[in-house]
Amino acid sequence: MKIGELAKVANTPVETIRYYEREQLLPEPARTDGNYRIYDEDHAQRLGFIRRCRSLDMTLDEIRSLLKFRDAPQEDCGQVNQLLDDHIGHVASRIAELKTLEKQLKALRLQCGGPESANSCGILQELDTAALAPETFGQHAGHVHGSLHGAAGSKRSA
């Protein structure tokens, strides 16, 4: 099957498939005489595995490790268990961080009781105060603002 067919079967954008190839998560497919990529069922299965791991918010490095074990089924899976335990710990830490963030946002929301002029809005005033002394409000270790994923550069994309 061509890349467009694989994308449709796996419900995955073509560019994501190419990205996984560049990251060497998907093996390079055979090519036709016209230089089109030709994928087989193994590619579709592997892509499904990768997408499932991504849905569990695993990093590309974590997926790479799991794929090594998937490709060597005779190996002991102790490291797979450890990887998952580590990932569970990471998720638990993020949940705690998000709960703290939620409390901070709720406290901030209490700063303004109702519609007022923006000039006297308690939320805006608190944010201005926090901007002058950021260590007093809203510190999130390792938090990438606007994202539920880890620190920048940890290869959590796609």
Side-chain angles (χ1 to χ4, degrees), residues 55-149:
S55 75
L56 296 170
D57 201 34
M58 292 183 181
T59 66
L60 297 185
D61 286 338
E62 289 169 329
I63 296 169
R64 216 173 259 109
S65 294
L66 291 173
L67 285 169
K68 286 179 186 173
F69 285 97
R70 184 179 181 266
D71 294 342
Q74 73 285 357
E75 294 291 322
D76 182 306
C77 71
Q79 289 179 325
V80 173
N81 291 328
Q82 185 60 54
L83 185 145
L84 199 61
D85 289 343
D86 292 347
H87 189 67
I88 291 167
H90 172 73
V91 169
S93 294
R94 284 187 25 226
I95 290 170
E97 181 180 312
L98 288 171
K99 286 180 178 179
T100 299
L101 176 60
E102 179 185 31
K103 287 178 186 175
Q104 291 172 342
L105 289 169
K106 285 180 177 179
L108 182 60
R109 177 59 183 93
L110 292 174
Q111 299 300 312
C112 187
E116 299 179 29
S117 67
N119 188 33
S120 59
C121 177
I123 294 170
L124 296 175
Q125 291 173 2
E126 182 64 33
L127 289 171
D128 273 337
T129 301
L132 296 175
E135 68 280 352
T136 62
F137 193 83
Q139 292 300 305
H140 301 286
H143 179 69
V144 176
H145 299 282
S147 171
L148 292 180
H149 301 296

